[in-house]
Amino acid sequence: MRILVCVKRVPLTGGRMVLSADERALETRHLGFTISPHEECGVEEAVRLVEHHGGEVSVLTLGPSEAEEQIRETLATGADRGVLLDSGGEEWDPQATAAAIVATVREEEQAGGGFDLIVFGNESADSGNFQVGIRVAYALARPVATGLKGLSAEDGHVRCEQEVAGGRDVYELPLPAVVTVLEGINLPRYPSVPAKLRARQKPIETRTPERPEPQLEMLRLVLPPGQGKQAEILGQGPEAAPAVVGVMRDLGVA
């Protein structure tokens, strides 16, 4: 069973975001990077399927050359090979990203190495567009199931489980297929030191895809407003007591 997992290099969750002077990019000098939690679970799910059925797990990312670090991390958790589509440091829109992935899958098929299953995280942790997996499935004319909390394979099919109110919906898709998984479908393993050392020896192929003409224009990035805090001095010593009582009455607690 050959599985392709698509991941994206994103800033660490909880990091302080600072915009560049032109408000068109993030200042990355002091940011740490990782892959999205959904995608971590996607890599783990693919590794478990191959451990059970045999085969190979490939991990693909579209991003800057520095994204090789994130691929190495997935190789340390059990993936077999990596493919880095060098974006030249630019952010690609979902249409262009999907087109690059589709072109890579078709090149693999022409070389005799098609994929039985393509796994995405349900959405990336930065833009959260929910688009790329579905666009890839549509372009390849493959069945797709999204938002999965359960995944297994047998007899040329994958069993897909979605959580719904009061239970789960279950779908069976014929292979080859495309799926997107949610965080919580499993608990990703933590790579050991020997596994990290072995990951350095695993192959990563770097390609430079041609970027299609963008269909969207980015004007600028905007940080969401934070919740401001205000402090009001009601007075000093005993003379502040009436003001405190007034505030408590306004809040309905006095």
Side-chain angles (χ1 to χ4, degrees):
M1 188 175 192
R2 299 190 76 244
I3 303 177
L4 176 68
V5 187
C6 298
V7 303
K8 183 180 181 183
R9 181 178 189 257
V10 297
L12 283 170
T13 304
R16 183 170 180 267
M17 302 300 160
V18 178
L19 298 183
S20 59
D22 61 3
E23 297 185 322
R24 296 176 62 85
L26 288 174
E27 288 286 0
T28 60
R29 288 175 295 176
H30 306 297
L31 280 178
F33 287 88
T34 183
I35 64 174
S36 303
H38 301 301
E39 295 168 351
E40 291 179 342
C41 291
V43 174
E44 174 67 24
E45 199 67 16
V47 170
R48 293 186 184 187
L49 286 172
V50 165
E51 287 175 343
H52 184 71
H53 297 281
E56 179 186 75
V57 176
S58 300
V59 175
L60 177 148
T61 190
L62 171 72
S65 58
E66 293 83 358
E68 181 178 329
E69 176 187 357
Q70 281 66 52
I71 294 181
R72 292 289 178 198
E73 292 173 358
T74 66
L75 297 179
T77 60
D80 300 292
R81 61 184 283 259
V83 179
L84 171 61
L85 304 181
D86 195 333
S87 65
E90 296 181 343
E91 183 73 15
W92 290 30
D93 62 52
Q95 289 172 300
T97 300
I101 295 172
V102 168
T104 302
V105 170
R106 287 176 173 159
E107 289 172 6
E108 295 275 340
E109 289 176 341
Q110 291 174 357
F115 298 104
D116 301 297
L117 184 65
I118 304 177
V119 180
F120 291 84
N122 202 53
E123 78 271 8
S124 62
D126 52 357
S127 56
N129 283 314
F130 296 84
Q131 294 186 33
V132 176
I134 297 173
R135 287 182 179 276
V136 168
Y138 181 80
L140 295 173
R142 298 188 180 186
V144 58
T146 61
L148 303 186
K149 275 296 188 76
L151 182 65
S152 59
E154 57 180 79
D155 299 328
H157 290 75
V158 284
R159 174 187 169 94
C160 307
E161 300 180 21
Q162 292 177 340
E163 283 191 348
V164 296
R168 290 195 174 195
D169 286 341
V170 178
Y171 303 89
E172 281 196 354
L173 305 184
L175 295 175
V178 178
V179 297
T180 76
V181 301
L182 285 169
E183 180 183 9
I185 189 174
N186 56 47
L187 182 62
R189 69 195 69 187
Y190 188 82
S192 63
V193 172
K196 291 182 178 181
L197 294 175
R198 288 193 298 270
R200 296 179 183 178
Q201 309 303 319
K202 292 182 178 181
I204 294 180
E205 179 183 355
T206 300
R207 306 181 186 181
T208 305
E210 182 178 351
R211 181 176 183 176
E213 190 67 26
Q215 302 297 311
L216 301 173
E217 179 185 2
M218 184 181 72
L219 300 179
R220 64 190 181 97
L221 299 175
V222 179
L223 292 175
Q227 294 183 348
K229 297 181 180 179
Q230 296 181 344
E232 180 181 355
I233 299 176
L234 301 176
Q236 300 289 335
E239 63 271 15
V244 173
V245 173
V247 170
M248 295 177 70
R249 285 175 176 167
D250 291 342
L251 296 174
V253 295

